[in-house]
Amino acid sequence: MHVWAVANQKGGVGKTTTSVSLGGLLADQGHQVLLLDLDPHGSLTSYFKYDPDDLSASAYDLFLARQLPADLPESLLLETSHDRIQLLPASTALATLERQVSGQGGMGLVISRALALLWNKFDYVLIDSPPVLGLLMINALAAAEHLIIPVQTEFLAIKGLERMMRTLTMVRKARHNELPYTIVPTLYDRRTQASVQSLRLLRTSYADHMWPAMVPVDTRFREASMAGVPVSMLDPVCRGVQAYSMLLKHLLDTSQQLRARGHDG
Ligand SMILES: Nc1ncnc2c1ncn2[C@@H]1O[C@H](COP(=O)(O)OP(=O)(O)OP(=O)(O)O)[C@@H](O)[C@H]1O
Ligand SMILES: [Mg+2]
């Protein structure tokens, strides 16, 4: 099982879209995929037509259990519009987590432990993280073997990326192994100077960790989210799907190279 976290401390940069799109493509290739929603807003959960305000069980339960029951993670899984994708949903109760568990030690590895109990069930896990640094993001980063950082191609988003880089430095110190990451430019509109110039700036500042292409603005993403399906199910050849297919290939190649060099988490 491979675990990828999708995170950025900036909101609205395409984290949820990236999680669903990559998850959809992996599932299209025949892999069993888990999409794990760790955002208290529950966008990923809502994407698949579940109501994060009205779920009796969710990722929240994983944090409440003092000793994680072995069958709990599996009992939380929900079906989605794609046969090979299951969802471990978020509920809005996750927003209270920080307060609920403050002072309790060992809370940073709750998700790692929960995923260990699902090891044989899935080929890939994608964790959609909230846009704030806190216990949930720390759990996502601790569980991941690779981090995907979507960045909107505009200047404010690049500022947000600097903050994410500081978080990553901190997390890497706490982990006993590296956390490789890939920066993914999103919502690229080649007709705007902001997109063109900020992409150029990203490439000069973060050369080694950049995915060399970008995800364009494509209205198919919104249509797919309204339909509750990964974008590749709605339109397998649109520009957005082509971009995420290239990204997936890049991530799979990069992971393989890292594993060959013995960096695998
Ligand atoms: N490449 C794209 N082209 C067009 N629309 C997009 C694209 N990527 C994302 N969107 C749209 O932009 C909005 C924000 O995207 P998304 O929800 O994926 O961001 P997010 O980083 O998860 O946001 P949040 O921080 O609120 O969780 C959504 O309405 C989504 O459909
Ligand atoms: Mg989101």
Side-chain angles (χ1 to χ4, degrees):
M1 183 165 91
H2 298 285
V3 183
W4 294 350
V6 181
N8 188 336
Q9 270 152 270
K10 178 101 175 51
V13 297
K15 295 183 292 296
T16 301
T17 303
T18 298
S19 308
V20 180
S21 302
L22 290 176
L25 288 165
L26 283 163
D28 292 344
Q29 292 181 2
H31 296 296
Q32 294 295 333
V33 175
L34 171 64
L35 293 178
L36 167 52
D37 193 355
L38 281 191
D39 186 346
H41 289 134
S43 311
L44 182 58
T45 300
S46 306
Y47 193 108
F48 290 108
K49 311 290 180 198
Y50 295 100
D51 182 355
D53 283 316
D54 193 31
L55 281 172
S56 54
S58 75
Y60 181 61
D61 296 70
L62 298 172
F63 290 88
L64 294 190
R66 278 210 166 262
Q67 185 101 54
L68 191 63
D71 56 350
L72 181 60
E74 188 164 350
S75 74
L76 300 172
L77 302 179
L78 300 174
E79 300 299 319
T80 71
S81 52
H82 197 302
D83 283 350
R84 283 184 292 275
I85 300 179
Q86 295 196 54
L87 172 72
L88 205 162
S91 63
T92 37
L94 274 174
T96 66
L97 190 66
E98 225 64 58
R99 210 163 359 109
Q100 296 267 337
V101 303
S102 78
Q104 282 182 40
M107 296 303 285
L109 293 177
V110 170
I111 294 300
S112 305
R113 293 196 189 106
L115 292 179
L117 294 168
L118 296 171
W119 210 256
N120 294 321
K121 237 183 123 53
F122 296 103
D123 303 307
Y124 285 90
V125 181
L126 284 146
I127 308 177
D128 188 11
S129 307
V132 285
L133 175 58
L135 185 57
L136 292 163
M137 191 189 281
I138 294 294
N139 263 272
L141 299 184
E145 69 183 51
H146 199 100
L147 169 64
I148 299 163
I149 310 176
V151 181
Q152 188 174 351
T153 42
E154 49 120 53
F155 289 107
L156 278 180
I158 293 178
K159 274 268 160 231
L161 181 59
E162 289 166 12
R163 222 176 320 138
M164 189 66 214
M165 287 299 126
R166 285 197 290 276
T167 299
L168 197 54
T169 306
M170 185 189 86
V171 167
R172 287 174 138 179
K173 278 189 198 139
R175 283 169 61 111
H176 298 297
N177 53 15
E178 285 286 302
L179 178 53
Y181 64 95
T182 302
I183 296 170
V184 176
T186 59
L187 287 149
Y188 183 77
D189 182 350
R190 64 189 161 82
R191 293 164 307 180
T192 68
Q193 277 304 307
S195 270
V196 174
Q197 288 177 7
S198 55
L199 183 62
R200 199 174 298 149
L201 182 62
L202 275 173
R203 284 180 175 160
T204 48
S205 310
Y206 298 97
D208 292 349
H209 296 276
M210 290 289 294
W211 171 47
M214 73 297 257
V215 180
V217 169
D218 186 337
T219 52
R220 288 298 206 195
F221 288 111
R222 191 163 337 131
E223 292 166 30
S225 76
M226 285 190 302
V229 297
V231 63
S232 55
M233 260 173 99
L234 180 92
D235 182 348
V237 296
C238 67
R239 292 185 323 143
V241 170
Q242 289 175 28
Y244 276 110
S245 301
M246 284 193 296
L247 173 62
L248 178 58
K249 185 171 181 313
H250 175 81
L251 291 168
L252 293 172
D253 290 349
T254 307
S255 305
Q256 203 172 21
Q257 282 162 17
L258 289 169
R259 266 200 300 283
R261 279 196 266 142
H263 277 284
D264 194 24

